[in-house]
Amino acid sequence: MKPQFLIGAASSGSGKTTFTMGLLRALAHRGMKVQPYKCGPDYIDTQFHSLASGNVSVNLDTWLASERHVRSLYHSYGKDADVCVVEGVMGLYDGYSGMKGSSAAMAALLDIPVILLVNARSTAYSVAPLISGFARFSPDVRIAGVVFNQVSSTSHYEYLKEACRDIGMECLGYIPYTKALKVPSRHLGLAWGAQKRMDAQMNQAAELMEKHVDIDRLLEVCSTAWTARVEKTECQGNMTVAVAKDAAFNFMYRENMAQLNRLGKVIFFSPLKGDALPEADLVYLPGGYPELFAHRLQKQERLMNELKEYAERGGRVLAECGGMIYLSRSLTNRQGDKTYRMSGVLPLDCTMQNARLHLGYRKMDMAGEEWRGHEFHYSDMVCPDACPSVAVLQNAKGMEVKTPIYRYKNVIAGYTHWYWGEKNIMDLWN
């Protein structure tokens, strides 16, 4: 038996991330080994999870990967943990197509119970039909208990507990309205740039959990039989992979990195520090926030020249979003008054000016097979006709999108963060 559960909510904005961070930190303070997971493709919440728990969080996404792979990931990373905690995405039943890809579908796939977080601001007994509907909507989803957020007073909480009693739902506690308890903006790198502030908020949230949430009872009602379904994977090659990793480049799926390790040896380097480019068979430039550090990046001329020389020699490079921006000729800020020099590997110029959010699942056919990923960015590329996209990308519903994928010699770059947890990324160059 092991406590394992998914934290879901009635809607986005209910406080899932704050609650998850506080609970992860509270469990860690108790000396428990916690394995966090994120339902969906988000690579920012996983950084919050890792900071709160002390363990690297894992993405679970049935659109990016097969159900078999997702189940294997869950059991592989959770087998030695004392408790497994999955943070859901959006509302409990919100998926990319109906319920498909939703948090509820994930809980059913993994056969784990759900803790439903309900934003109780400006409501009281009316939560009864809301909770009852969520609990009865799908026979495959078991809601083990409810926690309320944004509770204004103890008398307010009494109304909420009464609602739970009347529908036979276990009430596990609440989070009082606390103005200071707010997750920093998910954009502009605050996942890295405000770690001290985040750490203090996690401790504050953990204190609230211990005081107002019955954590012992939560763990009890969510303890279910652990059935290991672990697929053995071993190192398959002797390649060397160089991976950019620092405050400017840090959007990485954990299982992607595991796959790179299976290719051979992974060496990390920091473009911000101007590290020399390691000798490698593949260079991986992941996404991140190069726009926040453009003034520092443009000073690292040696590394930019080494990247350009490596690419000209036919070296293999995979660059995603922020990594692609670093390979462009220049980056213009949001105000449009400053332009920073980038490495110039690709004949592209990037601008943040008048940019809007581009978001969603993406897929493409390349090298004879389908690749899937996720797009999340605010910048745009000024692309000359000399650098057309080499593949057509589609969204989750199969509709064509304008997101490009570029190739120059053996450099493959684009805005999409690809998931290759059950694929060989080297197949892209076949």
Side-chain angles (χ1 to χ4, degrees):
M1 302 293 288
K2 180 182 294 192
Q4 47 183 328
F5 53 92
L6 181 144
I7 298 171
S11 65
S12 293
S14 296
K16 288 192 303 296
T17 299
T18 301
F19 175 66
T20 301
M21 291 191 306
L23 184 58
L24 291 174
R25 180 58 61 87
L27 294 172
H29 281 172
R30 291 183 172 202
M32 301 183 75
K33 183 178 180 180
V34 188
Q35 178 55 60
Y37 305 85
K38 175 63 183 180
C39 181
D42 192 292
Y43 27 72
I44 300 177
D45 282 351
T46 51
Q47 295 184 31
F48 292 152
H49 294 175
S50 301
L51 183 62
S53 68
N55 290 313
V56 180
S57 186
V58 180
N59 289 86
L60 304 173
D61 191 302
T62 54
W63 193 85
L64 294 179
S66 68
E67 291 186 353
R68 176 182 175 181
H69 176 70
V70 169
R71 282 194 297 262
S72 178
L73 284 181
Y74 179 75
H75 290 97
S76 176
Y77 287 105
K79 66 181 188 306
D80 297 324
D82 298 318
V83 55
C84 295
V85 180
V86 183
E87 182 188 352
V89 60
M90 300 185 291
L92 182 62
Y93 289 100
D94 294 328
Y96 61 86
S97 177
M99 187 176 158
K100 292 180 180 179
S102 68
S103 303
M106 182 62 67
L109 174 68
L110 301 177
D111 194 21
I112 58 176
V114 173
I115 298 298
L116 186 67
L117 184 68
V118 176
N119 187 341
R121 189 173 185 178
S122 303
T123 190
Y125 193 76
S126 291
V127 299
L130 172 72
I131 297 169
S132 179
F134 269 75
R136 290 170 171 76
F137 182 76
S138 173
D140 298 325
V141 178
R142 180 173 72 87
I143 297 179
V146 175
V147 175
F148 294 100
N149 192 21
Q150 301 272 15
V151 176
S152 60
S153 63
T154 54
S155 60
H156 182 198
Y157 182 52
E158 288 301 319
Y159 286 111
L160 301 171
K161 286 199 296 184
E162 180 185 8
C164 286
R165 283 195 301 268
D166 287 354
I167 61 172
M169 177 60 67
E170 180 132 12
C171 183
L172 296 168
Y174 70 98
I175 307 170
Y177 173 73
T178 308
K179 189 175 182 179
L181 193 62
K182 184 180 180 181
V183 177
S185 169
R186 294 166 53 75
H187 185 49
L188 298 183
L190 290 180
W192 279 70
Q195 282 196 8
K196 289 185 178 179
R197 175 185 167 193
M198 287 292 298
D199 198 57
Q201 287 193 329
M202 288 174 184
N203 286 332
Q204 181 185 7
E207 291 175 5
L208 291 174
M209 299 296 153
E210 291 287 4
K211 185 176 181 179
H212 300 288
V213 177
D214 191 344
I215 297 177
D216 291 328
R217 179 58 179 163
L218 187 155
L219 296 177
E220 182 182 352
V221 300
C222 291
S223 290
T224 58
W226 179 263
T227 305
R229 303 184 184 90
V230 180
E231 296 180 2
K232 291 185 179 180
T233 52
E234 299 177 355
C235 180
Q236 300 172 346
N238 57 1
M239 293 178 56
T240 300
V241 183
V243 179
K245 185 179 182 181
D246 54 27
F249 304 96
N250 51 73
F251 291 169
M252 307 174 197
Y253 292 125
R254 181 173 180 176
E255 193 59 15
N256 279 1
M257 296 308 301
Q259 285 290 75
L260 293 184
N261 275 289
R262 292 176 190 122
L263 291 176
K265 181 181 180 181
V266 172
I267 301 175
F268 294 103
F269 68 99
S270 169
L272 276 180
K273 294 180 181 179
D275 291 344
L277 182 68
E279 292 187 10
D281 302 293
L282 169 65
V283 174
Y284 176 39
L285 302 174
Y289 301 104
E291 67 271 22
L292 293 184
F293 305 96
H295 65 291
R296 291 174 56 184
L297 289 171
Q298 73 170 355
K299 295 179 181 179
Q300 309 302 341
E301 295 185 10
R302 183 187 69 172
L303 176 58
M304 291 194 292
N305 289 334
E306 289 174 346
L307 274 170
K308 195 165 186 177
E309 292 171 4
Y310 177 82
E312 291 297 332
R313 294 197 308 268
R316 286 170 291 205
V317 180
L318 177 63
E320 299 173 336
C321 203
M324 175 183 64
I325 293 174
Y326 189 51
L327 293 184
S328 69
R329 294 180 300 202
S330 66
L331 171 59
T332 300
N333 67 3
R334 189 175 295 275
Q335 293 73 32
D337 58 353
K338 290 183 179 179
T339 297
Y340 303 91
R341 186 171 63 86
M342 296 287 103
S343 62
V345 174
L346 298 173
L348 307 168
D349 295 290
C350 180
T351 179
M352 301 289 296
Q353 191 175 22
N354 301 319
R356 60 181 180 82
L357 175 62
H358 302 265
L359 173 69
Y361 286 119
R362 302 291 181 255
K363 63 181 179 180
M364 69 170 179
D365 289 319
M366 181 176 277
E369 60 181 297
E370 184 179 84
W371 298 82
R372 294 194 174 202
H374 184 256
E375 179 180 358
F376 179 91
H377 64 95
Y378 286 88
S379 64
D380 288 305
M381 280 291 172
V382 180
C383 180
D385 294 337
C387 194
S389 179
V390 294
V392 175
L393 273 66
Q394 299 174 324
N395 62 19
K397 295 185 180 295
M399 299 175 62
E400 185 176 330
V401 293
K402 295 182 179 180
T403 307
I405 184 80
Y406 303 112
R407 179 160 186 172
Y408 172 72
K409 294 190 174 181
N410 282 324
V411 176
I412 297 175
Y415 272 118
T416 307
H417 301 259
W418 302 106
Y419 184 81
W420 62 85
E422 56 182 332
K423 301 170 77 72
N424 184 349
I425 191 61
M426 301 307 296
D427 289 343
L428 272 176
W429 286 271
N430 288 343

